[in-house]
Structures are given as C-alpha cells and as structure tokens.
Amino acid sequence: PTIARAAITVDGSLTVEAGTVVKFDVIAGNSAGVSVRDGGTVRAEGTADSPIVFTSLRDDTIAGDTNNDGQASQPAVGDWQGITANNRASISLRQVQASFSGGLIYDNASDGATPTISVQDSTFRGGQILIDTAYRGGSVVIEGNQLSEVGRVRLGPRWSETSRMGGGIDIRGVSELTVRGNSVSGVRAERDYQGFAITVHGPLIPDRLTGNTGTDNQHNAMLVSGDLLGDVTLPTTGLPWQPWEN
C-alpha cells in the first residue's frame, strides 16, 4: 500500500488508479488526508472488482499490519482527516472504500467559486459528506453510496450550533444537485433537532432525490428546503421529507 504520513495537498491534478490502497497515518494528533485547493482536481475511480481503498494506517484488515505494531493500535473514526476542498475544486470518486476518516468536506470560501463533485457507488465508514457552497452554485452528484458509523456531524463554519441542520449527507447552496440511492446510518448531533440522515438546501427536483434510506440516525429523514421544481407525492418513498423549520 501507499502510506501517507502528512496531508496530500492538491493544487494540480491527482489521479488514483483502480485497486490502489492508501493508508493515512496519524501524526502528533493531526490527521493526514487529502486537501484539494482552488482549481485542484482529484479523480479516484475504481471498479467493483478493483475498488480504491483509503483507510487508517492502523487498519490491519487491509493489506496487513503495515505499521508493524501487532495489536498495539486499533483504527478509529477520525484517524485521518478525509478529503477537504474549497473554491473551484473538482472531485470524482467512484467505487472508493473510505474508512476511519472525517469524510468529504467542501467549504466554499470565495464568492462565485463553485465546485464540481461526484461521489458514486462508494462506502464511507465514519465521517459525513458535507458540501456547503454558500453562493448557490456548482454541480454535485451523490449517488449509490453507503455511509455507516457517521458519528457526530459538523455544521460548517458559517452556521450557528443552534441551526436546525446537520446530516450524514449535507448539501447546501448547490445549483445542480442529485442525492439519490444512498444509505446512511449512525448519524449523531449535539442537539435533538439536528442529526438527519440527509440534509438538502437548494433546488428540489424530486426524481433526483429518490431511493435514499437511513437507519439508526438521530432522525431517519431528509431535511429539505428550497424551490420545489417538479411533482412530489407525500409521503415519499425511502426517507421521508421533512421541511425546514427555522
């Protein structure tokens, strides 16, 4: 396997081939991970037979005891930072297995800079998918993924801890979005009115928001807000929709 002992910063293009295993170390309390800067591109596309694996260096179930410590250390959610990005980042993940990370976090810090993000047919053990553009732009597809052991979700830097939001999959301010066919479990939050399986704030096109399921979350529902651009019948199949309440 490839061992990453520090953050991988992407200013240009990073391509990860099918079948690649990357293990991330924990150094002095700070996790390694992948940081995609303005204009950076990450393309990690595995196959069903040769998935790409991102995991903790402490995970002996993948490629053996890479850190050569026997049973002295055990992997845990948050061992590595996950994938973080902002501004004009472009990310494409398919058939990726990510374990013990902070998930995928996109936070747009620049007016008018929008992302292109696609995550399909992948699994995340620990961590959420949080994409917050703040400026109503970008294209995001989150489809056919399984998130488990999500844990306590983050709200993002622009939001009060009292905000009624926070989801295992949490998409905000995106102008073109698809969140379809995902399974989410284990979401927790600081307050009872937070911690949804999925949270979507943006244009609501019903056939792009179907087939999602959730178990063992603080709320097994999809919190929605935005303009309804199509016909929907309530109750919805899969996760029930819950309108945003201020």
Side-chain angles (χ1 to χ4, degrees):
T2 298
I3 300 175
R5 299 191 183 277
I8 300 171
T9 301
V10 181
D11 292 299
S13 177
L14 172 65
T15 299
V16 184
E17 299 289 348
T20 299
V21 174
V22 182
K23 289 189 167 185
F24 294 88
D25 200 359
V26 179
I27 304 171
N30 294 319
S31 303
V34 178
S35 176
V36 190
R37 293 186 176 178
D38 188 12
T41 298
V42 170
R43 186 181 182 91
E45 298 184 354
T47 67
D49 293 332
S50 296
I52 292 167
V53 178
F54 296 148
T55 191
S56 168
L57 183 62
R58 298 169 175 170
D59 184 0
D60 295 347
T61 67
I62 302 295
D65 183 16
T66 313
N67 60 353
N68 298 312
D69 72 345
Q71 299 297 312
S73 62
Q74 298 296 320
V77 172
D79 272 0
W80 61 285
Q81 187 180 47
I83 300 173
T84 61
N86 61 31
N87 295 342
R88 290 176 293 270
S90 177
I91 299 172
S92 178
L93 307 180
R94 183 186 291 272
Q95 292 290 350
V96 171
Q97 299 174 1
S99 298
F100 308 113
S101 78
L104 169 62
I105 307 296
Y106 172 92
D107 178 62
N108 188 2
S110 177
D111 192 356
T114 56
T116 302
I117 297 174
S118 175
V119 183
Q120 295 179 291
D121 303 323
S122 296
T123 61
F124 291 79
R125 181 179 178 184
Q128 69 188 123
I129 296 176
L130 168 60
I131 300 172
D132 184 359
T133 71
Y135 299 107
R136 243 191 199 298
S139 173
V140 172
V141 175
I142 310 295
E143 186 170 21
N145 305 290
Q146 296 183 6
L147 281 71
S148 64
E149 301 177 43
V150 172
R152 181 171 292 182
V153 294
R154 288 175 276 185
L155 302 184
R158 278 181 296 276
W159 301 91
S160 164
E161 289 299 317
T162 61
S163 297
R164 186 181 175 84
M165 57 174 56
I169 297 173
D170 195 335
I171 314 298
R172 311 174 198 166
V174 176
S175 58
E176 297 181 20
L177 65 90
T178 298
V179 182
R180 184 165 52 200
N182 303 284
S183 172
V184 182
S185 65
V187 173
R188 299 292 181 267
E190 185 69 24
R191 292 172 171 81
D192 181 63
Y193 50 80
Q194 300 167 341
F196 291 82
I198 297 176
T199 305
V200 173
H201 303 277
L204 305 176
I205 301 176
D207 63 2
R208 296 185 184 178
L209 300 172
T210 61
N212 299 293
T213 61
T215 57
D216 189 34
N217 300 296
Q218 202 152 307
H219 297 284
N220 287 316
M222 181 161 61
L223 182 68
V224 297
S225 70
D227 297 329
L228 181 60
L229 305 178
D231 298 330
V232 64
T233 300
L234 299 178
T236 56
T237 58
L239 281 175
W241 287 20
Q242 181 167 324
W244 170 282
E245 298 176 14
N246 292 324

